Amino acid sequence: MLDHQKYKRVLLKISGEALSSLTPGQHQGINQGMLNKVANDIRNVVNLGIDVCIVIGGGNIYRGVSGSKSHGIDRATSDHMGMLATVINALALQNAIEHEGMLCRVMTAIPMQAIGEFYIRRRAIRHMEKGRVVIFAAGTGNPFFTTDTAAALRALEMGCDLLLKATKVDGVYDKDPKIYPDAIHYDRLSYSNLLSQKLEVMDATAVALVQEHNLPLAVFSIYENDSFLKVLEGTAKHTLVTE
Ligand code: UDP
């Protein structure tokens, strides 16, 4: 069980799809209600004095692989388009976070001076020390990567105690719980089991990175009310992945 008093700084990874509706099913677009819900959840964690940084995906707008397959766009260009999608989501979330009364900075892995600050590790840490929420946009800045890997990378760079991955289900199961009602939920799991069972919770590069540096990973559902805080308190269902 988690205990929020143990955590000083955490990174929350939210997929683009999670922003598209308040309930599962919708895959595209940005839902204002969901943005507000996420911003509210973040505020309740920030209020505890925990530093919060965020990596946001872009799958609700554009995915490099699918764009490349369906439109014949070369993969690196398509991935650049995907990274731009994450910037759109980051700006929308920044706006919602500021409406909740928090200070928030968007830092982009690709320079976009007029829109956000270019990512500099020490500057990002300074923002959090001043109580600002930091959103990391444009993934790692490199094609052929994912925002899961960006989340693992930034969490390590920021010295986070925990990486939280908000998904559509409340943790990791042995098979898809939406298809198999008898699917078994794991309260705890090792990195190796997550990798070997190919459970598709997070891409293998990201898991390998957290495993190598022994960074705990919590997988939980974005849809439950106040789930971010509840997971840190250990009162919401989730899976904790550790060594
Ligand atoms: N992307 C990339 N490099 C990165 C992160 C993301 O090229 O470091 C591109 C990639 O095309 C990806 C898209 O951005 O499909 C959106 O990110 P992702 O699919 O990880 O978003 P999510 O599934 O979390 O919504």
Side-chain angles (χ1 to χ4, degrees), residues 91-111:
L91 294 177
L93 185 58
Q94 179 187 37
N95 186 66
I97 287 174
E98 286 175 345
H99 273 137
E100 286 290 330
M102 290 169 277
L103 296 168
C104 179
R105 294 288 187 271
V106 169
M107 301 192 97
T108 61
I110 297 171

Side-chain angles (χ1 to χ4, degrees), residues 13-17 56-60 62-65 78-80 82-83 86 138-148 150:
K13 159 74 208 294
I14 309 168
S15 72
E17 263 183 42
I56 185 95
N60 55 326
Y62 193 86
R63 258 184 226 287
V65 189
S78 198
D79 278 342
H80 279 140
M83 284 186 263
T86 71
T140 61
N142 300 296
F144 303 101
F145 285 92
T146 64
T147 50
D148 279 356

Side-chain angles (χ1 to χ4, degrees), residues 53-56 83-98 103-120 123-124 127 132-139 154:
C53 51
I54 299 161
V55 166
I56 185 95
M83 284 186 263
L84 290 176
T86 71
V87 179
I88 296 176
N89 284 333
L91 294 177
L93 185 58
Q94 179 187 37
N95 186 66
I97 287 174
E98 286 175 345
L103 296 168
C104 179
R105 294 288 187 271
V106 169
M107 301 192 97
T108 61
I110 297 171
M112 285 179 217
Q113 243 173 321
I115 287 180
E117 289 172 41
F118 184 46
Y119 170 69
I120 295 171
R123 186 172 283 175
H127 281 317
R132 297 170 185 149
V133 174
V134 178
I135 305 177
F136 299 114
R154 295 290 185 245

Side-chain angles (χ1 to χ4, degrees), residues 41-194:
D41 288 4
I42 291 168
R43 193 198 53 205
N44 291 338
V45 172
V46 168
N47 281 350
L48 291 176
I50 297 174
D51 293 349
V52 175
C53 51
I54 299 161
V55 166
I56 185 95
N60 55 326
I61 300 172
Y62 193 86
R63 258 184 226 287
V65 189
S66 23
S68 155
K69 279 190 187 141
S70 56
H71 304 298
I73 303 173
D74 79 76
R75 177 63 193 273
T77 304
S78 198
D79 278 342
H80 279 140
M81 294 164 71
M83 284 186 263
L84 290 176
T86 71
V87 179
I88 296 176
N89 284 333
L91 294 177
L93 185 58
Q94 179 187 37
N95 186 66
I97 287 174
E98 286 175 345
H99 273 137
E100 286 290 330
M102 290 169 277
L103 296 168
C104 179
R105 294 288 187 271
V106 169
M107 301 192 97
T108 61
I110 297 171
M112 285 179 217
Q113 243 173 321
I115 287 180
E117 289 172 41
F118 184 46
Y119 170 69
I120 295 171
R121 187 180 75 89
R122 284 171 190 273
R123 186 172 283 175
I125 291 171
R126 192 76 194 112
H127 281 317
M128 283 188 280
E129 285 170 353
K130 288 182 177 168
R132 297 170 185 149
V133 174
V134 178
I135 305 177
F136 299 114
T140 61
N142 300 296
F144 303 101
F145 285 92
T146 64
T147 50
D148 279 356
T149 301
L153 176 64
R154 295 290 185 245
L156 291 168
E157 286 184 281
M158 292 301 110
C160 291
D161 317 295
L162 179 71
L163 167 57
L164 294 110
K165 171 150 177 168
T167 68
K168 288 187 262 180
V169 280
D170 53 10
V172 185
Y173 288 77
D174 63 339
K175 49 196 170 193
D176 190 343
K178 283 178 268 134
I179 303 172
Y180 304 97
D182 63 335
I184 296 165
H185 179 271
Y186 298 113
D187 288 339
R188 282 193 86 116
L189 201 62
S190 69
Y191 302 114
S192 329
N193 277 339
L194 187 61

